[in-house]
């Protein structure tokens, strides 16, 4: 396996990003963050990639979070703020119109869970262990955890997890809505790739607009969200793919989507 911190491949419109530091449970250091930033920056403008899968190398961890070895050097606030701005790949993920699927085996802690939270759909193995454990290092989540977690599981459960640094298993994560599916550990990537292929086979513009309506709509009032949905729905009625979908349905054949 390559010694690159992040592995990348594209197959049939599905991109797979693999955190590749299994010896340290895919902990995130500066080179890994830089590689993730570059990959997602490119993907945000890549119309050929229709779905993204994010996973970790090996069978022990999605990601253990930040590489603590980088924590022992003091930073002045301006240095740290600039470093965050330059390496915050999760904000770049927010600009990706493609559905992003997290395939989680083993531990997803701290920044590792924040990476999963920045994805759209989370599939966990039954061996998964998830938590925002930053409080144990006298810090708080800084990669979106305090904002994304309560939007998924509610204020009380999010505060319980963040303030105690507790770790929860896959079954509990499914129960509280932190993950969407739990499968046997050995089947995580199979399940993620099957879902990715299914989504990649859908009309790509409709997929992008559906994600936009949901994600942006959550930050709006209901009236504004309904207006956004109506605008995007109207735009889709003008596409060639909409006509192709209707013809394929009437002719009882598989549609040939063109993405326009």
């Amino acid at each position: 396996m390559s010694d690159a911190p992040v592995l990348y491949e594209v197959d049939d419109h599905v991109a797979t990003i693999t955190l590749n530091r299994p010896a340290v449970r895919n902990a995130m250091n500066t080179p890994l963050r830089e590689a993730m930033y570059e990959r997602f920056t490119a993907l945000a403008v890549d119309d050929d990639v229709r779905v993204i899968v994010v996973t970790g190398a090996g069978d022990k961890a999605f990601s253990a979070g930040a590489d603590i070895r980088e924590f022992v050097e003091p930073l002045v606030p301006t240095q740290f703020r600039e470093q965050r701005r330059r390496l915050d790949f999760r904000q770049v993920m927010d600009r990706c119109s493609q559905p992003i699927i997290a395939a989680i085996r083993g531990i997803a802690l701290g920044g590792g869970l924040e990476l999963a939270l920045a994805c759209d759909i989370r599939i966990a193995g039954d061996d998964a262990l998830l938590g925002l454990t930053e409080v144990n290092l006298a810090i708080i989540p800084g990669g979106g955890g305090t904002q994304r977690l309560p939007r998924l599981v509610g204020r009380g459960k999010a505060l319980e997890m963040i303030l105690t640094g507790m770790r929860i298993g896959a079954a509990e994560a499914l129960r509280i809505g932190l993950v969407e599916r739990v499968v046997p550990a050995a089947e995580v990537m199979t399940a993620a790739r099957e879902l990715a292929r299914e989504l990649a086979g859908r009309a790509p513009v409709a997929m992008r607009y559906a994600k936009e309506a949901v994600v942006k709509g959550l930050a709006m009032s209901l009236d504004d969200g309904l207006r956004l949905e109506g605008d995007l729905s109207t735009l889709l009625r003008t596409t060639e793919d909409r006509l192709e979908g209707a013809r394929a349905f009437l002719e009882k054949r598989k549609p040939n989507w063109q993405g326009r």
Side-chain angles (χ1 to χ4, degrees):
M1 182 177 288
S2 168
D3 60 359
V6 171
L7 304 180
Y8 181 77
E9 62 177 318
V10 179
D11 181 38
D12 199 18
H13 303 292
V14 175
T16 301
I17 294 176
T18 304
L19 280 64
N20 186 39
R21 303 186 73 215
V24 290
R25 301 197 173 188
N26 300 315
M28 300 179 189
N29 61 1
T30 297
L32 185 145
R33 292 188 185 93
E34 289 174 342
M36 293 287 278
Y37 190 96
E38 291 171 3
R39 284 299 179 193
F40 280 109
T41 297
L43 283 165
V45 293
D46 190 337
D47 290 337
D48 186 61
V49 171
R50 299 178 182 176
V51 185
I52 303 166
V53 176
V54 181
T55 193
D59 58 6
K60 301 296 183 184
F62 179 72
S63 172
D67 192 331
I68 306 302
R69 289 173 294 187
E70 293 190 339
F71 279 34
V72 296
E73 295 295 329
L75 286 175
V76 299
T78 53
Q79 283 180 307
F80 184 64
R81 185 172 185 178
E82 177 60 22
Q83 184 185 73
R84 282 196 58 189
R85 184 197 65 76
R86 182 169 53 86
L87 299 178
D88 192 355
F89 59 85
R90 297 175 193 88
Q91 288 195 15
V92 183
M93 292 171 69
D94 290 339
R95 299 203 297 267
C96 290
S97 61
Q98 305 96 329
I100 307 174
I101 302 168
I104 305 167
R105 280 203 68 174
I107 61 173
L109 302 176
L113 179 53
E114 289 178 307
L115 170 57
L117 290 171
C119 297
D120 300 305
I121 299 170
R122 286 153 291 279
I123 298 176
D126 55 13
D127 64 342
L129 191 64
L130 305 96
L132 293 177
T133 53
E134 287 87 349
V135 69
N136 298 322
L137 296 170
I139 57 175
I140 67 171
T146 64
Q147 303 306 304
R148 292 189 176 99
L149 184 63
R151 284 167 167 77
L152 281 178
V153 305
R155 170 179 166 167
K157 178 56 71 174
L159 278 170
E160 180 187 26
M161 290 180 65
I162 292 167
L163 295 178
T164 66
M166 66 190 293
R167 305 177 183 196
I168 64 173
E172 175 68 0
L174 180 65
R175 186 188 73 81
I176 66 175
L178 179 51
V179 302
E180 282 64 56
R181 298 186 191 180
V182 173
V183 300
E187 299 175 14
V188 169
M189 279 306 295
T190 298
R193 284 176 174 141
E194 286 178 352
L195 176 59
R197 284 193 294 269
E198 178 184 349
L199 298 182
R202 308 277 179 167
V205 179
M207 295 294 291
R208 293 198 297 270
Y209 282 11
K211 175 176 173 176
E212 180 179 349
V214 172
V215 173
K216 289 186 177 179
L218 284 171
M220 297 177 174
S221 68
L222 178 59
D223 284 346
D224 288 341
L226 290 171
R227 188 174 298 109
L228 172 64
E229 178 189 80
D231 290 344
L232 294 174
S233 178
T234 298
L235 286 172
L236 285 170
R237 289 182 177 272
T238 69
T239 65
E240 294 179 23
D241 279 349
R242 196 271 300 181
L243 296 174
E244 169 62 10
R247 293 188 187 108
F249 177 82
L250 294 173
E251 296 168 9
K252 296 180 173 57
R253 59 174 174 80
K254 184 177 179 179
N256 180 24
W257 307 122
Q258 299 298 313
R260 57 178 185 266

